[in-house]
Amino acid sequence: MNSNETLPVKIDIIGGYLGAGKTTFLNKLVRDGLGASRVAIVENEFGQEPVDDAVIENPGFSMRTLASGCICCSLKVGFMDCIADIVAECQPDRILIEPTGLASPAELERTCELTMRMKGLVRPVRVNSMTAIVDATDAVEMIDFEIPVYMSQIEQARLIVLSHTQELDAAQLNEAVAAIREHAKPQVRIITEPWDSLDALEVLALSEQAYADDLDHAEDADDHDHDHDHDHAHDHGHGHHHSHEGFSSVVLKPQGTFDSQTVERLNAALREQGTSRAKGFLPSPDGGLLHFEYVNGRSTAEPTHYEGPAKLIVIGMHVDAAALAFVEDASRL
């Protein structure tokens, strides 16, 4: 047996709120050389149909998708079984997990700890890092909203990587960092470097060290507090506000074609709905598909090599499916 096969499989979690840039960062890890090791990827999506698995750059990795819920609550058992299957069938050295943007870090960590204690694993697993991606462009506004799951992701973070920093000037970036620091752990490191010049593998190494340091700190505290196991999971007061109360998702099957004007009309409709997140693939006038991404009023629609069916997943607070039904006939936009 290879000596590596007696070592625990590393679990690296790439977390963050809806549309923060988790999939983009995961792709950057792949491009920056993560493919040199045996890697498996677990995608967790809140919507009933997956989208991100179609846009992840996959150089032969094993990939599993868990949709229609969150692995820290409704899909907990399915996630544990998924990890066990991956370890047995794929024999990876590392498992990258991208949870839904509504996942609670504390509950996600608890689920991973339960997985680590599962009997019958052909090889042990351990949480190796938890990286939080935060969109710098709306951090101040989102913190003002005090959405519980968003706040928990900042408050419980060991390492924070800001996305879209190149879109802010120095004063705006400093304001975003200051707002985050007001709620984050005192020792947390915040990476502000633009992603074009960021080495994602170096960030992963920093995240590994930050996670190890936090565990050491927790163990030291446990020596003086026998209630640590309970407190650690519910730390900072937002630990269990991950039930997705108020959030819902709708899957639409777009018809017709979506030119620039039609896409802008769709954007306006999503903004009117108060949509937090929308993503999917829209029929393009040239006969192909557009990869559509919408986050809090901002969107992109780019040509894609994806050849599957057109679909649009909309996530928000109390999404009105009837009011969005027009998407399934673009001629009515």
Side-chain angles (χ1 to χ4, degrees):
M1 178 181 291
N2 188 305
S3 59
N4 285 342
E5 295 178 358
T6 65
L7 299 175
V9 178
K10 299 176 181 179
I11 294 179
D12 296 294
I13 299 167
I14 311 298
Y17 196 63
L18 298 166
K22 298 183 295 295
T23 302
T24 302
F25 185 78
L26 198 156
N27 277 335
K28 184 164 179 56
L29 279 170
V30 173
R31 290 195 302 270
D32 288 352
L34 194 65
S37 58
R38 292 188 297 182
V39 176
I41 297 174
V42 176
E43 273 289 325
N44 176 210
E45 300 203 42
F46 183 68
Q48 294 95 325
E49 289 196 24
V51 169
D52 291 338
D53 59 350
V55 297
I56 289 176
E57 299 173 16
N58 186 349
F61 295 164
S62 299
M63 184 179 300
R64 307 291 172 89
T65 299
L66 297 170
S68 300
C70 185
I71 56 179
C72 65
C73 48
S74 60
L75 296 181
K76 182 179 293 186
V77 174
F79 169 74
M80 295 169 66
D81 290 342
C82 176
I83 295 297
D85 289 344
I86 287 174
V87 172
E89 297 172 12
C90 308
Q91 301 180 0
D93 297 321
R94 184 187 301 268
I95 301 174
L96 289 177
I97 298 173
E98 182 187 340
T100 169
L102 300 175
S104 157
E107 294 301 320
L108 181 56
E109 190 170 13
R110 186 193 299 277
T111 301
C112 287
E113 289 170 353
L114 289 172
T115 305
M116 288 188 282
R117 294 197 292 269
M118 285 180 65
K119 295 181 179 179
L121 286 174
V122 298
R123 186 173 164 194
V125 298
R126 67 175 175 84
V127 178
N128 183 60
S129 69
M130 294 184 72
T131 305
I133 310 298
V134 175
D135 187 338
T137 63
D138 62 10
V140 174
E141 180 181 17
M142 293 296 291
I143 288 172
D144 285 344
F145 287 156
E146 294 187 329
I147 298 172
V149 69
Y150 183 91
M151 298 304 296
S152 74
Q153 290 172 358
I154 288 178
E155 293 170 351
Q156 298 167 17
R158 275 69 169 217
L159 181 85
I160 294 174
V161 181
L162 297 186
S163 60
H164 304 290
T165 58
Q166 73 280 2
E167 300 173 24
L168 303 180
D169 60 30
Q172 291 170 325
L173 181 56
N174 288 338
E175 183 183 11
V177 171
I180 291 169
R181 286 213 175 277
E182 187 174 343
H183 298 278
K185 295 182 178 185
Q187 72 275 18
V188 74
R189 182 166 181 175
I190 302 175
I191 307 295
T192 62
E193 187 176 348
W195 286 15
D196 285 348
S197 57
L198 188 71
D199 186 323
L201 292 182
E202 290 183 2
V203 172
L204 185 61
L206 290 172
S207 187
E208 292 174 355
Q209 187 59 56
Y211 190 80
D213 291 345
D214 193 70
L215 289 183
D216 289 342
H217 176 76
E219 289 172 0
D220 289 341
D222 194 35
D223 290 338
H224 301 91
D225 184 356
H226 293 294
D227 292 328
H228 163 74
D229 285 343
H230 174 79
D231 293 340
H232 179 63
H234 297 279
D235 135 79
H236 300 290
H238 290 283
H240 201 69
H241 289 277
H242 72 291
S243 61
H244 314 142
E245 183 178 355
F247 280 92
S248 58
S249 67
V250 172
V251 177
L252 302 168
K253 303 296 184 183
Q255 301 294 322
T257 59
F258 288 73
D259 58 18
S260 59
Q261 291 183 332
T262 311
V263 169
E264 182 46 46
R265 291 175 185 170
L266 172 59
N267 286 334
L270 292 172
R271 285 193 293 268
E272 186 177 346
Q273 283 284 303
T275 302
S276 299
R277 183 81 165 101
K279 55 185 176 179
F281 303 98
L282 307 175
S284 171
D286 67 6
L289 290 168
L290 299 172
H291 175 207
F292 180 77
E293 294 277 345
Y294 174 98
V295 182
N296 293 331
R298 308 189 313 274
S299 74
T300 59
E302 304 290 343
T304 177
H305 295 298
Y306 171 77
E307 297 180 346
K311 56 185 173 181
L312 181 68
I313 289 80
V314 180
I315 302 171
M317 301 289 285
H318 309 292
V319 175
D320 185 345
L324 290 170
F326 62 82
V327 174
E328 298 192 329
D329 182 359
S331 65
R332 295 169 55 192
L333 280 172

